[in-house]
Amino acid sequence: MTEFSLHPHTQAFIKRNHALLIGDQRLGGSDGGTIDVINPATGDKLTQVARGTAADINKAVATARRTFEDSAWSRMTPVERERLLWRYADLIEANAQSLAEIECLDNGKSAAIAEAVDIQLAVNFLRYMAGWATKIDGSSVKPSVPFMPGAQFHGYTTREPVGVVGAIVAWNFPLLLACWKLGPALATGCTVVLKPAEDTPLTALRLGELALEAGYPAGVLNVVPGLGHDAGAALSAHPDVDKLTFTGSTGVGKMIGKAAMDHMTRVTLELGGKSPTIVLDDADPREAAAGAANAIFFNQGQVCCAGSRLYVQRKLFDNLVADITDIASNIRLGNGLDPDTEMGPLVSAVQQQRVHGFIEKGLAEGARITTGGGTQGPGFFVQPTVIVDVDQRSTLVQEEIFGPVLVAMPFDDIEDAIRIANDSQYGLGASIWSNNLSAVHRMVPRIKSGSVWVNCHTALDPSLPFGGFKQSGLGREMGAACIEHYTEIKSVLMKV
């Protein structure tokens, strides 16, 4: 088996005892349990982390509450929060190689891509959010109170931090998704209890260490790895959590949303997707083929807004599918630490079996594979797969697979494309490939999704809100819009 060199910081971190971070204390789980961390590229145990329980969540929430209510953090000025967030981003950037290697070992993704994409997007987003710390404002109004004639009033609104934030993140982009939660929470003055996915807890623990190194007071960021049905459920239902933010599957998101409503906890949910890639007949075929392939095969297809449904105008369909099939069949699978690897393994054996099960079900329904369809080992690899001859109502088209599986279908005209693109319970993202911008502009308002990309897919910028329509979630990540989700607005009316 090939041995890959690791940054000394990565080696030291992996060998460490991985405890919960509550305040500035490293603690074992209350019941002494641990979670094995498996390297997806080999299937071997990498390390283990302490397994937090409901009791540990209670302790973390109590710590976050005390810190929010009365501490150096609660008295910090906006410009001080801004500087801290910049310092945090600088530390993450300085540790980019090590963080990317940890993400690779934990998740399976390419370390080189994680450093260039995941880490850099996280750093850019934290710096963007740092600027918001000094720009959270209210407004003044001139009130008219009819039942108090002659009285003079001064009215204004202000935004205040929502309080203790419970953040639960998925395993596909562990560090980046955590930073999407931490950025607005730290900019607005909230405190956080972060529960990473049990498959990928390592970079969350490292983020907790870096927060203390950056100078955040103990208790601002608490990290509690644990199982979803125990620690995750306890955080979702906790009466002293003011706001929940979750990224993950629609099914789990619904359970979290229902638990939140028992205490009227504020909640944002970034959930599943089945995003269409729509190619009109005037598109550049080579650019569209490369773009459509990247839309589904990036990050092994483990992307909530992956372009997993490909709709191509009939004139281009056969040639475009052939081009994408050629691209897919030449993607190099391997360990994410190998710089020549183009696609790594899926995150776990469970996910590998789930994705392969969808492929087998599609074949049973009459679909045809043009390339891929198999699994490889050791590790949890699924070959890049392209499937045709599918019906719009088939399982492959309607359900989120969350793996490197593309289903391709032809369409006749733009009305047909819009109809089938919107024929989904999801509405997270969509892309349109065309040089006819007049047609594109007419299509964009009719596509029922939170993001529409034109001649690109999953292109993200910190200033653009990200979230979904329909069953793809509630609320938005990123952009100015996310500040609303981490603050409460208060109205003040003063008789003068």
Side-chain angles (χ1 to χ4, degrees):
M1 184 175 293
T2 305
E3 293 289 333
F4 299 98
S5 61
L6 295 171
H7 192 284
H9 291 173
T10 307
Q11 296 180 45
F13 178 81
I14 295 299
K15 293 176 182 177
R16 188 177 307 172
N17 177 37
H18 299 290
L20 317 179
L21 178 64
I22 299 178
D24 57 0
Q25 296 183 310
R26 275 76 170 179
L27 304 171
S30 63
D31 66 358
T34 59
I35 299 172
D36 287 345
V37 178
I38 305 301
N39 183 343
T42 64
D44 297 330
K45 179 179 174 180
L46 177 68
T47 185
Q48 63 185 28
V49 301
R51 185 184 68 208
T53 65
D56 299 308
I57 290 292
N58 289 340
K59 186 180 298 184
V61 171
T63 300
R65 173 60 61 194
R66 287 193 301 271
T67 305
F68 178 74
E69 297 293 349
D70 187 16
S71 72
W73 175 247
S74 65
R75 293 182 286 276
M76 199 170 283
T77 64
V79 74
E80 289 173 320
R81 294 200 303 271
E82 178 185 45
R83 289 170 184 162
L84 262 184
L85 204 42
W86 266 95
R87 194 177 308 151
Y88 194 28
D90 289 345
L91 275 174
I92 292 171
E93 187 172 55
N95 288 273
Q97 181 182 343
S98 176
L99 286 166
E101 289 175 353
I102 295 168
E103 200 83 317
C104 167
L105 291 167
D106 204 8
N107 167 277
K109 66 177 63 191
S110 160
I113 293 175
E115 183 171 358
V117 179
D118 302 35
I119 310 301
Q120 195 56 57
L121 282 174
V123 168
N124 290 351
F125 177 66
L126 292 179
R127 287 174 176 157
Y128 169 82
M129 290 309 309
W132 274 105
T134 56
K135 299 170 185 66
I136 300 167
D137 55 19
S139 61
S140 60
V141 298
K142 184 69 175 176
S144 300
V145 183
F147 51 81
M148 298 179 70
Q152 296 293 310
F153 297 92
H154 173 56
Y156 63 94
T157 64
T158 183
R159 284 199 173 272
E160 301 175 354
V162 69
V164 176
V165 173
I168 304 174
V169 297
W171 44 255
N172 56 330
F173 291 92
L175 181 141
L176 177 58
L177 295 177
C179 288
W180 279 8
K181 319 296 187 186
L182 294 177
L186 299 177
T188 55
C190 299
T191 56
V192 181
V193 177
L194 172 62
K195 209 293 284 183
E198 54 238 46
D199 287 319
T200 54
L202 295 182
T203 48
L205 291 169
R206 186 70 180 116
L207 285 174
E209 295 175 354
L210 291 175
L212 291 172
E213 187 178 336
Y216 281 98
V220 172
L221 173 56
N222 309 273
V223 185
V224 184
L227 302 180
H229 68 265
D230 186 3
L235 187 58
S236 301
H238 204 289
D240 208 23
V241 169
D242 299 297
K243 186 251 185 326
L244 285 164
T245 173
F246 169 75
T247 298
S249 71
T250 294
V252 175
K254 288 179 178 179
M255 289 190 288
I256 289 173
K258 289 173 183 176
M261 288 302 98
D262 284 342
H263 302 288
M264 288 299 166
T265 306
R266 278 57 177 146
V267 62
T268 49
L269 305 169
E270 197 266 283
L271 305 178
K274 192 71 180 175
S275 299
T277 301
I278 306 166
V279 182
L280 303 189
D281 60 10
D282 71 296
D284 181 314
R286 287 189 178 183
E287 183 182 5
N294 188 63
I296 181 59
F297 299 130
F298 173 68
N299 206 52
Q300 298 75 252
Q302 298 171 137
V303 182
C304 52
C305 56
S308 54
R309 293 186 290 148
L310 175 64
Y311 298 118
V312 184
Q313 202 148 11
R314 197 172 296 276
K315 181 175 116 177
L316 295 182
F317 182 78
D318 289 340
N319 288 338
L320 199 75
V321 169
D323 289 344
I324 296 171
T325 297
D326 184 60
I327 292 170
S329 63
N330 286 288
I331 291 175
R332 186 176 186 272
L333 275 65
N335 192 308
L337 292 173
D338 185 341
D340 293 327
T341 288
E342 296 174 310
M343 181 182 289
L346 301 192
V347 73
S348 66
V350 169
Q351 186 64 11
Q352 180 193 44
Q353 293 160 10
R354 180 180 182 274
V355 171
H356 192 246
F358 272 108
I359 295 171
E360 291 182 324
K361 189 168 185 179
L363 291 176
E365 292 176 350
R368 176 170 59 90
I369 293 176
T370 67
T371 188
T375 61
Q376 293 179 200
F380 312 130
F381 294 89
V382 172
Q383 296 169 342
T385 301
V386 179
I387 300 178
V388 296
D389 297 343
V390 291
D391 182 79
Q392 175 67 18
R393 303 312 307 164
S394 75
T395 302
L396 290 175
V397 176
Q398 292 298 321
E399 295 190 27
E400 184 178 39
I401 299 173
F402 222 64
V405 180
L406 177 67
V407 292
M409 300 173 63
F411 67 88
D412 293 312
D413 54 38
I414 288 177
E415 289 300 316
D416 190 27
I418 293 170
R419 178 185 60 80
I420 56 180
N422 288 335
D423 180 21
S424 172
Q425 63 178 318
Y426 299 109
L428 190 56
S431 63
I432 304 170
W433 297 78
S434 172
N435 292 311
N436 183 349
L437 293 186
S438 176
V440 169
H441 276 296
R442 292 195 300 272
M443 290 177 70
V444 166
R446 300 178 64 191
I447 301 295
K448 303 302 182 185
S449 67
S451 295
V452 178
W453 297 285
V454 179
N455 296 326
C456 58
H457 196 100
T458 320
L460 303 175
D461 183 88
S463 63
L464 287 172
F466 181 77
F469 289 14
K470 298 188 276 188
Q471 296 205 42
S472 286
L474 297 170
R476 293 294 183 268
E477 308 273 13
M478 300 199 294
C482 74
I483 292 294
E484 296 181 10
H485 300 306
Y486 290 81
T487 56
E488 293 279 16
I489 191 165
K490 179 178 287 183
S491 298
V492 180
L493 184 64
M494 187 180 301
K495 185 173 180 291
V496 297

